[in-house]
Structures are given as C-alpha cells and as structure tokens.
Amino acid sequence: MKFGIIGSGSWATALAKILTDNNHSINWWIRNTDTIDHITLRKHNPHYLNAAYFDNTLLNMSSSLPYIIEESDVLIVAVPSAYIHDTFSILNTDALDGKKVVSAIKGILPDRNLLLNEYLEQTFNFNIRDYFAVLGPCHAEEVAAEKLSYLTFSGIDEDKAKDIASHFKTGYLNTVLNHDIMGVQYAAILKNIYAMGAGIAHGLEYGDNFLSVYIANSADEMVRFLRKARLDDEKEVINYAASAYLGDLLVTCYSLYSRNRTFGNMIGKGYSVKVAQLELSMVAEGYNASKCVHKKSRDLQVALPIADIIYGILWEHLPVAEGFNKIEKLLV
C-alpha cells in the first residue's frame, strides 16, 4: 500500500512522521518548492513541527499533484478545507479512479458547504466506500514529541479502514475504528466551533467552573446535530462519549495547542476577526465552519443555540459580552 500525503501543514507533517516512523516510503505533495528543497537539505519542515526529522530516503516529494496521485494507492488529504477546490481543480475527473482517499481535514468546504466526500462525489464521481476519515483527539505537536496519542479511522468499509489504520500504529500511537463516516466528520467540524467559544470564554476571564458547564452543554448540542447527520440507521447506538466525539471536543476546548481555542481567546480579548487571523498565521477551521453549520443546522432542522451565538459573534458583529450573557442563560 503506497501512501500519498496532500499538504504540508502541521497535521500533514505529523502524519508523514507517523508513516515514515513505520518505515513506509511516502509520496508527499508540497506546493512550495522551497519547502521541498529545505526538507531535502535539512530533513525537517521549516514551517511546521520543525523538531520532527525525516529519513529522506523514504520521501518522494513533488509540487505536482497529478504525479503524487498517480504514484499513490491511498491519498491522505491534509490541506485546509477552504483550499480544497483550488487544490483539486487542476485534476481530470478520472484522476481518483481506483484510489482510496483518507480525509485528514477538520472542516467543511466554505464556498460549497460540503464535506470532502460530498465534494469528491460531485466532482469526481468518487464512491464513499473508498473514502475514510482520520480523526483525533490528536494534536500534531504531541505526535512530533511522540507522546501517546489515539487516532480514529472511520469508513463504511471497516475492513478497509482497519487495513489502513494498521499502517499508523506505532509505539506512541494507537488506532481506533469507527464506521460513522458522516458523524465523525461533523463532530470534527463542530468541536472547532465550540473550541472557539471556549477560547472566547477564556478571553473574557470566565473560570474553569463555567467552562466545564459550557463544554457539557456543547457536547449535548453536538450530539443532537450528529444524530440528524448520520448515514445509517438511527436505531443503531453510537457511543458519542468515544474519543472521536467527546474526546476530541475536550482536547480542542482545553488544550493550548488548539488553534481554534487560541483564535477564540483573541476574540474574547477584543481582537477583530481579521487581526486574529493575521496574528494566528494558521487556519482556524472553526471560523468558516461556524457559518456553514449555521446554514446546515437549518437544513437539518436541528437547534444549535450555542453554535448560533458563536456564529453571531464571528460573522454578525454580535458583541462578545452580550453573546456570552445569552450563553449563560442557556446552560444547564
């Protein structure tokens, strides 16, 4: 099984580390040729996780996406959701034939309000049975430091998901299987929105007591949405307290590594959205996601009052303190 990684950010770099630590040769699409030259010479990514070093004999790097796709059996997509269409627009409609795709993005295409699998189906007629998602809770920085972490691999075909997951298990990383492919992707999107809210609360100097109640209520709200968004039979029991749901929500709301929490913290301290984006210098997926989920929740007819207030703060100029006064009254 030949893996190709599309993207060179922190999460893409962490996934490249995991695979090469398992002695896998990988194909790696990196847009910037200067980055390729630096990794070739210095053996680390100059922009992300630069403490993670690579055996260059295991890296086949290129700025040509069609070449990387052609050379790979399994494609791990790890570019921000806002750049998916631009990245894939150069490809022929048959470019993904015979490939498996693993989504490592935690967002929704903002201009189309689509999950990656929905975009691939519409654009490339890609079969969801060959589509998988890899999720946390798992911060790239802790992978680079080889701190014990857990990755969830989700797919309708659990045998294929298990096969893919087996290549990622290391001494510092365990793998978990899941088949709720729509639910886990939306959980990864929603937790970023709630993490922005957690960051705003911190910026407003709310304490841990409030934050614990806020997260508990956010988890309940998230589950209501996930039950509506599932592909499979509603009667089947899903453990929403599992790591891909509650676990990822908790770490994204609490961890100092969380870029969405950090973004929210700046908003809570009075930064404008534009200034926070410039200051962060990385994509916080929860910002665009808040707008997409605001619309999607109405399509699904599910109430998300906490997420709606965060959307109002980020997109409709709702004053931060006023918004959190409203959230205070919602919590139980």
Side-chain angles (χ1 to χ4, degrees):
M1 187 178 290
K2 194 72 172 179
F3 288 92
I5 296 179
I6 300 173
S8 59
S10 58
W11 191 218
T13 303
L15 293 168
K17 170 183 166 55
I18 294 166
L19 287 170
T20 54
D21 281 355
N22 276 341
N23 208 36
H24 282 290
S25 296
I26 62 170
N27 303 307
W28 196 355
W29 178 77
I30 299 174
R31 184 191 299 273
N32 190 323
T33 55
D34 288 342
T35 301
I36 293 174
D37 292 343
H38 186 100
I39 295 173
T40 301
L41 180 65
R42 303 293 184 185
K43 301 183 180 181
H44 69 94
N45 189 332
H47 306 296
Y48 302 96
L49 306 186
N50 54 24
Y53 281 79
F54 293 94
D55 176 353
N56 280 348
T57 64
L58 298 175
L59 303 181
N60 176 30
M61 297 176 287
S62 175
S63 61
S64 170
L65 183 59
Y67 167 73
I68 291 297
I69 290 175
E70 184 179 352
E71 293 294 307
S72 306
D73 304 311
V74 180
L75 301 167
I76 303 169
V77 182
V79 297
S81 56
Y83 304 136
I84 289 292
H85 178 65
D86 287 347
T87 300
F88 280 77
S89 62
I90 65 168
L91 299 176
N92 296 327
T93 55
D94 62 352
L96 301 180
D97 289 358
K99 308 295 182 182
K100 296 180 181 65
V101 171
V102 179
S103 172
I105 68 173
K106 298 178 180 180
I108 189 167
L109 277 67
D111 53 339
R112 297 161 185 255
N113 211 16
L114 296 172
L115 297 175
L116 178 60
N117 64 284
E118 295 170 329
Y119 169 76
L120 296 180
E121 182 181 2
Q122 289 185 13
T123 309
F124 300 97
N125 195 30
F126 193 80
N127 192 325
I128 197 171
R129 295 194 67 83
D130 289 320
Y131 178 86
F132 307 87
V134 57
L135 307 110
C138 192
H139 284 305
E141 294 82 0
E142 292 200 353
V143 170
E146 299 187 3
K147 294 185 177 182
L148 182 61
S149 303
Y150 291 74
L151 281 181
T152 296
F153 287 81
S154 183
I156 293 175
D157 189 326
E158 288 195 76
D159 288 336
K160 290 181 182 177
K162 183 178 182 180
D163 186 24
I164 292 170
S166 68
H167 297 276
F168 287 79
K169 188 173 177 60
T170 72
Y172 59 84
L173 196 140
N174 287 327
T175 58
V176 180
L177 298 178
N178 174 287
H179 70 274
D180 178 27
I181 188 63
M182 301 297 281
V184 294
Q185 290 183 96
Y186 274 118
I189 292 163
L190 285 159
K191 57 94 176 178
N192 285 332
I193 300 171
Y194 297 125
M196 283 197 165
I200 293 171
H202 185 268
L204 290 171
E205 299 187 352
Y206 285 87
D208 290 344
N209 293 338
F210 172 85
L211 192 58
S212 67
V213 178
Y214 165 83
I215 295 172
N217 279 259
S218 296
D220 184 61
E221 185 171 292
M222 182 172 77
V223 168
R224 290 203 304 272
F225 184 97
L226 299 183
R227 285 177 174 152
K228 288 278 191 176
R230 285 170 53 183
L231 280 180
D232 55 7
D233 188 344
E234 281 289 330
K235 294 179 182 178
E236 183 179 355
V237 175
I238 297 288
N239 178 16
Y240 290 115
S243 58
Y245 307 97
L246 180 59
D248 210 1
L249 173 66
L250 290 171
V251 76
T252 311
C253 286
Y254 278 117
S255 177
L256 296 179
Y257 288 128
S258 168
R259 64 187 68 174
N260 289 282
R261 181 187 184 276
T262 301
F263 185 99
N265 185 50
M266 288 189 280
I267 298 298
K269 289 183 179 297
Y271 288 65
S272 69
V273 166
K274 286 187 177 179
V275 171
Q277 287 172 323
L278 290 171
E279 191 78 16
L280 188 64
S281 75
M282 293 187 292
V283 174
E285 291 276 17
Y287 173 64
N288 284 323
S290 64
K291 186 176 184 180
C292 295
V293 167
H294 180 73
K295 181 180 184 302
K296 187 69 176 179
S297 65
R298 278 144 184 77
D299 294 341
L300 293 175
Q301 297 183 329
V302 55
L304 301 179
I306 297 174
D308 283 345
I309 291 170
I310 296 167
Y311 160 78
I313 291 170
L314 297 175
W315 288 92
E316 295 188 336
H317 308 293
L318 174 65
V320 175
E322 180 182 336
F324 265 74
N325 283 336
K326 291 182 179 181
I327 287 177
E328 286 179 29
K329 295 177 174 62
L330 292 171
L331 304 184
V332 295

